[in-house]
C-alpha cells in the first residue's frame, strides 16, 4: 500500500533541499532550514521539503543540519551546547529558526522529509511527529536513528507510522544484493523510499539493477543533490521517482515541462 506521504502529490517528486534560499539567483541572506527558506520553497509550489534536525542545550529539536555552528556561523560550538534562545537570535535576520514542531504547525500543507542527525532527537521526536505521520518521512544515515524514531512515534500513540527512507546500511545492502541479482529479502521491510546520491566517490550507487529491485518492492528512489536541469531529466528518464535539489524552483519548471 502506498503511504499517504506520497498520495495526491506530483510525480516525479521534487524535494526542496533544506528549503529554497537562491530562487532569485542571488544571496538573499536567508539560511538553509530556516522559516524563510521553507516559505520560499512552499511559495515556489513544492510538495516536499527536505530538512534536518539537531537538539539544542534546552532539549529542543530544531531544524539544523550540522553538529556544530562552524560552517554556517563560524562558531565552533556544538548545537547541543547552545541555548535555543541564542540560536533564535542568530537566525533572526536570516529567515528565522524553527523547531520541528513549529515547522509542522507553520506549514500545514508541506510534506516534510526529516533527517534525524543525532540520536538525541529520537525520543523527543515521537510526540512531535505523532499527529503528522501522514505527511512526514523519517530518514537518517543511521538506520538505528531511523528505526528508533519510528518506534518513538508509534509509542507516542500514532495510528500510522511515518514514511521512512533507508539509511546507509540499507542502501549498501541493496546495492550489493542487486548487483548479484539476489533478492533483497527483508532489507526493504517497512521502507518506502531510498534517498541516494547517484555516485559515492568512484562507486555508482544508482544502477539499473538497484532501480529494478526497489521498484519490485514498491520503494521509491530519490536522488540527491541534483541542481542541473539536464541531470534532472536524465535521472527521471532512467526511472527515479524524485529529485532532491537546492533549486527546487528550477526542478519544478524542468520536470513539469518534460
Amino acid at each position: 500500500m502506498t503511504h499517504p506521504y506520497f498520495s495526491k502529490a506530483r510525480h516525479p517528486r521534487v524535494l526542496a533541499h533544506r528549503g529554497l534560499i537562491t530562487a532569485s539567483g542571488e544571496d538573499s541572506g536567508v539560511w538553509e532550514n530556516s522559516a524563510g527558506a521553507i516559505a520560499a520553497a512552499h511559495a515556489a509550489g513544492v510538495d516536499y521539503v527536505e530538512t534536518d534536525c539537531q537538539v539544542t542545550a534546552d532539549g529542543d529539536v530544531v531544524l539544523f543540519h550540522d553538529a556544530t555552528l562552524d560552517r554556517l556561523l563560524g562558531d565552533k560550538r556544538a548545537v547541543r551546547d547552545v541555548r535555543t534562545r541564542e540560536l533564535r537570535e542568530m537566525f533572526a535576520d536570516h529567515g528565522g529558526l524553527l523547531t520541528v514542531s513549529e515547522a509542522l504547525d507553520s506549514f500545514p500543507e508541506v510534506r516534510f522529509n526529516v533527517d534525524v542527525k543525532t540520536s538525541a532527537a529520537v525520543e523527543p521526536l515521537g510526540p512531535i511527529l505523532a499527529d503528522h505521520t501522514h505527511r512526514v518521512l523519517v530518514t537518517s544515515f543511521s538506520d538505528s536513528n531511523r528505526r528508533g524514531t519510528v518506534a518513538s512515534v508509534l509509542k507516542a500513540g500514532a495510528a500510522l507510522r511515518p514514511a521512512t527512507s533507508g539509511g546507509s546500511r540499507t542502501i549498501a545492502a541493496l546495492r550489493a544484493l542487486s548487483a548479484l541479482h539476489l533478492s533483497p529479502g527483508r532489507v526493504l521491510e517497512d521502507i518506502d523510499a531510498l534517498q541516494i546520491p547517484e555516485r559515492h566517490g568512484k562507486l555508482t550507487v544508482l544502477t539499473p539493477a538497484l532501480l529494478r529491485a526497489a521498484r519490485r518492492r514498491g520503494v521509491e528512489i530519490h536522488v540527491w543533490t541534483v541542481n542541473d536541469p539536464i541531470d534532472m531529466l536524465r535521472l527521471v528518464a532512467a526511472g527515479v521517482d524524485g529529485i532532491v535539489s537546492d533549486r527546487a524552483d528550477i526542478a519544478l519548471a524542468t520536470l513539469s515541462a518534460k
Side-chain angles (χ1 to χ4, degrees):
M1 182 183 298
T2 300
H3 193 282
Y5 183 79
F6 299 109
S7 299
K8 298 179 182 178
R10 75 187 77 202
H11 185 280
R13 321 292 181 193
V14 172
L15 295 90
H17 187 228
R18 306 177 198 170
L20 181 61
I21 63 174
T22 57
S24 65
E26 300 177 358
D27 183 3
S28 62
V30 173
W31 286 346
E32 64 187 37
N33 282 326
S34 66
I38 295 173
H42 181 47
V46 302
D47 297 310
Y48 300 98
V49 170
E50 185 277 341
T51 190
D52 317 275
C53 64
Q54 296 281 354
V55 177
T56 68
D58 297 305
D60 294 317
V61 188
V62 296
L63 301 192
F64 202 91
H65 180 273
D66 298 355
T68 75
L69 308 183
D70 192 20
R71 177 177 61 87
L72 199 59
L73 292 149
D75 186 325
K76 300 292 186 182
R77 287 179 296 168
V79 176
R80 65 174 181 267
D81 295 328
V82 180
R83 303 294 295 270
T84 305
R85 179 176 178 179
E86 183 180 359
L87 201 56
R88 285 194 191 281
E89 291 171 354
M90 294 174 178
F91 266 76
D93 295 328
H94 300 282
L97 180 74
L98 286 173
T99 64
V100 173
S101 180
E102 290 166 346
L104 289 165
D105 290 342
S106 299
F107 299 96
E109 297 177 0
V110 171
R111 305 179 194 210
F112 283 94
N113 189 108
V114 181
D115 190 342
V116 184
K117 291 295 186 184
T118 171
S119 60
V122 167
E123 287 302 320
L125 277 173
I128 293 170
L129 302 182
D131 291 334
H132 303 276
T133 53
H134 61 290
R135 64 185 182 104
V136 170
L137 183 147
V138 171
T139 188
S140 179
F141 285 122
S142 163
D143 279 294
S144 177
N145 284 352
R146 172 184 62 81
R147 286 191 296 265
T149 301
V150 172
S152 178
V153 171
L154 294 174
K155 187 172 71 173
L160 171 75
R161 70 166 177 83
T164 182
S165 170
S168 299
R169 290 187 177 182
T170 298
I171 294 165
L174 183 63
R175 174 65 176 79
L177 290 168
S178 62
L180 296 170
H181 305 289
L182 297 175
S183 168
R186 299 182 63 182
V187 167
L188 296 179
E189 186 176 24
D190 291 333
I191 298 292
D192 301 285
L194 287 180
Q195 297 175 335
I196 60 176
E198 185 174 7
R199 296 180 184 83
H200 180 69
K202 294 182 179 180
L203 176 69
T204 298
V205 180
L206 177 68
T207 65
L210 182 144
L211 272 168
R212 287 193 298 270
R215 192 170 297 280
R216 283 195 294 268
R217 295 300 180 93
V219 173
E220 294 202 1
I221 297 292
H222 306 158
V223 179
W224 50 266
T225 305
V226 186
N227 297 328
D228 187 323
I230 294 174
D231 289 334
M232 296 172 188
L233 291 169
R234 175 178 56 80
L235 290 165
V236 168
V240 308
D241 298 283
I243 298 295
V244 184
S245 180
D246 295 319
R247 294 306 308 268
D249 53 333
I250 292 175
L252 286 171
T254 300
L255 298 179
S256 296
K258 76 177 185 66

